[in-house]
Amino acid sequence: MLGEFVTRGESATLPARGRQRQEHLLDFDADTVRSSYNMRPFVLQHHLAEHPDFFSLPALFSLCRRMPRDQVQYRVGAIPGDANFDTSYARYGEGLSFDQVLDRFEESRAYICIYNPERDPLYRPVLEGMLAEIAAAIEGMDPVITWYSTYVFVSTRDSVTPYHMDREMNFLLQVLGEKQVMLWDPHDEEIMSEADKDRLLAAFESRRPVYRPDFEAKAMRYDLRPGLGVHHPFIAPHRVHTGSDLSISLAFTFRTRTSDRWTRAHAFNHLLRRCGLSPWAIDHGHPLADRAKAAASQAVQVPIDLLQSRRRARALAS
Ligand SMILES: [Fe+2]
């Protein structure tokens, strides 16, 4: 499984570690986090670009070459914005070897995703420090982080990460170049129905809700440049376009005890729908009801770790 689980004991120490750090990589505005975290996207500032030993192109290509090959995925050429996200690496990755992609990166209009740099001994302390900073920032609203997973995206001009949604929260941080991030409200029934969300969270193999052109009018656009990032609330749909230059960004995705509970509750609802029932929607504002469904989900043996045991071999992103 991708990513790193965080034990309850480790999670309990994170906020204090985040607050004690001498040099912060992430700048959170406490009022913004309090009013918007997991409700709506918000912009934050960060300092990753000030650390070229980790986040410059040469440093990241070195990381690519020492990572296990299956943890670096790539696409080449022009990708349409409505391409199937889950099959895009296979469909648009053919024709060039990995070494050819690195050597001819810009001319092949390549896009590289480095999975889980936290597994690299050099990067792990940096990313664990960021995890602690996130834990400190959200402690008042969402105090128990249970899992995290990071991804570095290196892309040439005009690349597109097709419309999709991930099954967790994310801070997408721009390090080099520009990105246009389009986000949609996951609570909008016209964007994703309750049944869509229940199916999405019932299993990682399940089909993601698809894009329709009439969604475009509801897109929330964020223009990222180096030093800026944007928060993706839980399962918020998104599509990402790079600008006219090389782009480097880091996605810091994570789950919490709360989002795990939502996932289990949606999974339970999906089970009820498959039995022909019409369950109440999962209301993220009513933790008692969600907690009951999450408990029921566990009782019928559909725990999150089993449902998600073959967690995406392909992609995330953005
Ligand atoms: Fe994504």
Side-chain angles (χ1 to χ4, degrees), residues 109 155-159 174 176-180 224 240-247:
R109 293 190 61 181
S155 45
T156 46
R157 61 181 174 83
D158 303 324
S159 78
Q174 190 68 13
L176 179 70
E178 297 178 351
K179 261 187 174 171
Q180 179 192 101
L224 299 186
V240 183
H241 301 252
T242 59
S244 55
D245 294 310
L246 186 72
S247 168

Side-chain angles (χ1 to χ4, degrees), residues 5-301:
F5 287 101
V6 181
T7 67
R8 189 67 184 268
E10 290 168 343
S11 183
T13 68
L14 285 173
R17 285 166 48 195
R19 284 190 292 272
Q20 289 164 2
R21 277 163 62 83
Q22 300 288 320
E23 186 183 3
H24 282 246
L25 286 173
L26 305 173
D27 290 340
F28 289 104
D29 178 77
D31 291 338
T32 302
V33 174
R34 195 174 303 115
S35 64
S36 301
Y37 169 73
N38 253 347
M39 301 283 290
R40 60 190 67 82
F42 62 84
V43 170
L44 71 155
Q45 294 189 312
H46 67 84
H47 304 281
L48 301 187
E50 298 163 25
H51 297 272
D53 288 352
F54 298 103
F55 298 108
S56 65
L57 193 62
L60 291 167
F61 275 11
S62 295
L63 174 65
C64 283
R65 294 185 192 281
R66 64 178 186 265
M67 291 287 280
R69 191 53 47 89
D70 63 356
Q71 286 184 240
V72 183
Q73 299 276 339
Y74 60 88
R75 300 187 286 246
V76 295
I79 315 294
D82 60 354
N84 183 298
F85 175 76
D86 287 314
T87 61
S88 61
Y89 286 112
R91 180 170 179 189
Y92 297 98
E94 298 169 352
L96 287 177
S97 70
F98 178 73
D99 287 328
Q100 286 174 320
V101 168
L102 292 187
D103 292 342
R104 297 156 56 186
F105 189 75
E106 298 217 35
E107 68 184 81
S108 60
R109 293 190 61 181
Y111 170 99
I112 289 175
C113 178
I114 307 171
Y115 284 70
N116 304 115
E118 65 272 15
R119 293 184 182 175
D120 183 83
L122 286 181
Y123 282 74
R124 189 175 186 93
V126 177
L127 296 164
E128 285 185 337
M130 293 173 68
L131 178 69
E133 290 182 31
I134 292 169
I138 66 172
E139 184 183 20
M141 286 84 49
D142 202 0
V144 183
I145 291 179
T146 56
W147 172 93
Y148 78 102
S149 186
T150 71
Y151 308 83
V152 173
F153 307 106
V154 184
S155 45
T156 46
R157 61 181 174 83
D158 303 324
S159 78
V160 177
T161 299
Y163 177 92
H164 69 286
M165 61 293 302
D166 303 305
R167 298 167 177 91
E168 56 256 334
M169 288 74 78
N170 183 17
F171 289 104
L172 177 64
L173 308 166
Q174 190 68 13
V175 179
L176 179 70
E178 297 178 351
K179 261 187 174 171
Q180 179 192 101
V181 183
M182 314 297 277
L183 276 149
W184 283 266
D185 180 0
H187 305 290
D188 185 332
E189 271 277 320
E190 292 182 357
I191 302 297
M192 286 193 292
S193 69
E194 285 302 316
D196 284 339
K197 287 184 276 192
D198 294 344
R199 185 179 59 244
L200 172 73
L201 292 163
F204 273 100
E205 296 81 3
S206 60
R207 184 170 57 85
R208 300 181 206 232
V210 297
Y211 172 82
R212 294 200 318 260
D214 59 295
F215 291 176
E216 212 57 38
K218 291 186 170 183
M220 295 173 279
R221 173 176 167 166
Y222 294 86
D223 292 309
L224 299 186
R225 52 182 166 72
L228 293 182
V230 63
H231 168 55
H232 294 36
F234 183 62
I235 65 170
H238 51 283
R239 186 185 68 224
V240 183
H241 301 252
T242 59
S244 55
D245 294 310
L246 186 72
S247 168
I248 296 174
S249 50
L250 171 76
F252 203 113
T253 74
F254 61 102
R255 299 197 309 236
T256 62
R257 187 172 57 183
T258 303
S259 70
D260 287 348
R261 185 181 300 141
W262 292 338
T263 300
R264 290 191 184 97
H266 278 289
F268 184 67
N269 261 8
H270 182 69
L271 196 65
L272 296 179
R273 290 182 197 281
R274 294 191 63 176
C275 295
L277 301 173
S278 300
W280 292 105
I282 303 302
D283 185 343
H284 296 175
H286 290 81
L288 286 179
D290 296 346
R291 193 169 296 159
K293 285 192 174 177
S297 174
Q298 286 183 304
V300 294
Q301 302 287 301

